[in-house]
Amino acid sequence: MNKKTAPRARRDYMLSRERIIDAAIDLLDREGELGLTFQALSAQLATGPGAIYGHIANKADLLTAACDAIVARAVASPSDDATPQAAIRALALALFDAMDDHPWAGATLIQAGGQMPVVRILERVGQQVSALGVPQVAHWAGASAVVNYILGVSGQNAANAQLARSQKADRDTFLAEVAIAWTRLDPAQYPFTRSVAGQLRGHDDREDFLAGVDLLLAGLVSQAQIS
């Protein structure tokens, strides 16, 4: 009997929360959130669900932990010689790329509320907002504006990419079709939308994202100078 139980015992002994999270990330990247089940995770780890429940409470806990691991890898401390603007820009871009690589993470971050993955981002952004010289009374407004922009735009970009992949849609073809539709709008009601239709075709999501970050930074710097 000991011979039969030894292999499972050894596998369960080697199981850790970190190993479970890494396996969950791999499963999420391949199958999406719907593909993340404890049965599938157990099969991937060659163990039983009971062993996983010893480290993870439920699926929501697992999703948050997986998202936190992604954020922790993306959110590194800025180099000592980085300006606050450069640090925020680098952080924003790292998170944008992380959510582009792991599209499921965007929705999970939005659902995480005040939990650790969001706290990690808020802390890094907040430290740099403070370093910019923004008055303390405006710290929350400034930091939350940057965090909400990063989460919102990065999450939406990831969701769009995920939808396009699921529908096997070609991005250039899709944008061209939307641009044509915009040019046919009523010029009296939609003058601006018609005017940017041509820019929609060849726009770069990453560059647009960074342009928005720079606009926010300009506002924060201006506020710091006024104070």
Side-chain angles (χ1 to χ4, degrees):
M1 181 167 180
N2 289 335
K3 290 183 179 179
K4 292 182 179 179
T5 58
R8 169 59 62 83
R10 284 196 296 271
R11 288 195 295 268
D12 290 350
Y13 178 77
M14 293 186 295
L15 200 63
S16 66
R17 183 177 173 87
E18 291 72 23
R19 187 176 165 219
I20 293 170
I21 291 169
D22 285 342
I25 291 172
D26 180 63
L27 193 57
L28 284 161
D29 288 346
R30 289 186 287 107
E31 306 293 339
E33 185 176 337
L34 292 178
L36 179 64
T37 65
F38 276 69
Q39 182 178 2
L41 192 58
S42 298
Q44 181 157 325
L45 290 166
T47 189
I52 296 175
Y53 280 115
H55 299 274
I56 300 291
N58 49 47
K59 184 174 179 178
D61 178 34
L62 181 56
L63 277 168
T64 300
C67 186
D68 188 43
I70 296 299
V71 170
R73 294 167 190 172
V75 179
S77 297
S79 60
D80 293 336
D81 59 347
T83 65
Q85 295 98 313
I88 290 176
R89 207 171 189 271
L91 168 64
L93 189 57
L95 289 166
F96 182 89
D97 290 341
M99 279 186 259
D100 193 47
D101 291 337
H102 309 280
W104 52 271
T108 304
L109 267 172
I110 292 173
Q111 296 167 10
Q115 299 182 65
M116 185 49 66
V118 177
V119 171
R120 287 186 194 277
I121 299 170
L122 177 64
E123 181 61 30
R124 294 293 191 275
V125 170
Q127 288 180 12
Q128 301 308 319
V129 167
S130 177
L132 276 171
V134 173
Q136 188 170 6
V137 68
H139 279 184
W140 168 250
S144 62
V146 175
V147 171
N148 288 333
Y149 175 81
I150 292 173
L151 297 185
V153 177
S154 299
Q156 187 60 57
N157 177 75
N160 291 343
Q162 199 168 29
L163 178 62
R165 282 193 290 269
S166 68
Q167 297 181 350
K168 295 181 172 56
D170 177 74
R171 180 180 183 275
D172 291 339
T173 301
F174 172 75
L175 290 178
E177 291 174 351
V178 173
I180 291 172
W182 284 7
T183 62
R184 295 171 178 166
L185 293 171
D186 185 339
Q189 293 187 355
Y190 304 99
F192 177 80
T193 303
R194 282 170 53 91
S195 72
V196 298
Q199 297 176 38
L200 176 67
R201 289 175 181 265
H203 84 279
D204 185 287
D205 295 319
R206 202 165 182 262
E207 290 181 2
D208 289 351
F209 171 75
L210 284 175
V213 172
D214 289 339
L215 286 171
L216 284 169
L217 286 172
L220 289 171
V221 170
S222 175
Q223 191 170 39
Q225 290 172 343
I226 292 174
S227 65

